[in-house]
Amino acid sequence: MPPRVTERELPHFRLAGSCAAATLAAVASKLRAGVTTADIDGWVREDTAARGARPSQLGYQGFPAAVCTSRNEVVCHGIPSAAVTLADGDIINVDVTSELGGWHGDTSATFFIGTPSPETRHVVEAARRALEAGISVVRHGAHLGDIGAAIEAVARATGCGVVQEWGGHGIGRRMHLPPHVAHVGRRGTGLKLKQGMAFTIEPMLTLGAPHTRVLEDGWTVVTCDGRWSAQFEHTVVVTSTGCEVLTRLPTP
Ligand code: MF3
Ligand code: CO
Ligand code: CO
């Protein structure tokens, strides 16, 4: 049974979630053509430190950077590099995980650099909708399979693929905890959700086939067919009537 967050712990967990969200927003405001993904890594290190937090991903199972930066056909776990410069028309997923006060918040979004092609816009908006659809079915008493089914329905309606090799995960006092949160599934199946369970939902949608492979660096996940992929991620806690999204910034 995955750990459940208590009422007493929740305020601390909330702070970690807001911290990751704020860092992601700070980075987002600086993205434009000419920026390298190593620049993004530097900004994440500085902003995270300024908030008194630590980048959870740095050194995680040997991961060499503070943030994952996944451009175009990179599905997830892209390693920041001074050799990767963002250009007009690109998309870039920035995945920030921050540890604050012993709690972890994990969130990502895919951003347009300059003007996207219509099909690029399509897959990004589909992935955004897929995450919101997944979040919308979370409540005490629902099943893990409901989340995958909701995401799959968006994929079907938009003609996009859903990556199955990678999924969401429990989160709290560690970045990765059980359960595994699949982005495909059948309603009414899988683990029954209980108030206080915390996990990420992070669907990866593709324009082409959803099959992926890992590059020689042991981290970078790309689509096999080279077509582009988009991802969004939030950290959520199950409540009696729905869920609280810990990594959503209040709209100013
Ligand atoms: N933030 C990523 C996730 O959503 C974690 C990737 S592990 C890393 O699960 F080591 F690549 F950073
Ligand atoms: Co995650
Ligand atoms: Co993440």
Side-chain angles (χ1 to χ4, degrees), residues 13-219:
F13 195 7
R14 277 192 188 114
L15 288 177
S18 314
C19 177
T23 297
L24 181 59
V27 166
S29 69
K30 302 189 188 187
L31 295 174
R32 69 194 120 70
V35 157
T36 70
T37 54
D39 294 333
I40 299 173
D41 186 62
W43 300 335
V44 168
R45 288 175 195 243
E46 285 166 24
D47 192 85
T48 304
R51 294 173 196 285
R54 184 187 74 83
S56 316
Q57 297 174 110
L58 185 60
Y60 177 82
Q61 291 182 6
F63 189 74
V67 61
C68 295
T69 51
S70 304
R71 179 181 63 154
N72 301 347
E73 76 285 355
V74 180
V75 173
C76 61
H77 304 169
I79 303 172
S81 163
V84 176
T85 303
L86 301 178
D88 185 42
D90 282 351
I91 52 174
I92 180 79
N93 175 279
V94 178
D95 189 336
V96 173
T97 313
S98 306
E99 179 184 354
L100 182 66
W103 293 84
H104 297 260
D106 187 4
T107 183
S108 87
T110 299
F111 302 98
F112 300 119
I113 304 301
T115 311
S117 73
E119 72 167 15
T120 298
R121 189 182 293 278
H122 180 74
V123 70
V124 172
E125 295 313 327
R128 198 191 313 274
R129 275 175 56 194
L131 171 57
E132 294 306 326
I135 290 171
S136 72
V137 298
V138 176
R139 61 173 169 78
H140 182 88
H143 291 80
L144 222 36
D146 300 350
I147 298 171
I151 290 167
E152 264 192 286
V154 172
R156 204 171 307 116
T158 55
C160 293
V162 183
V163 171
Q164 298 201 31
E165 292 96 332
W166 301 92
H169 47 90
I171 184 167
R173 290 184 177 279
R174 305 176 68 111
M175 172 169 71
H176 284 164
L177 287 168
H180 172 74
V181 179
H183 299 126
V184 298
R186 273 183 32 233
R187 266 180 67 184
T189 67
L191 181 75
K192 206 167 164 183
L193 303 181
K194 296 214 162 71
Q195 196 167 340
M197 282 182 186
F199 49 83
T200 70
I201 306 177
E202 45 183 300
M204 289 143 271
L205 267 64
T206 59
L207 275 170
H211 310 296
T212 66
R213 65 190 177 90
V214 179
L215 298 186
E216 306 279 76
D217 62 22
W219 285 105

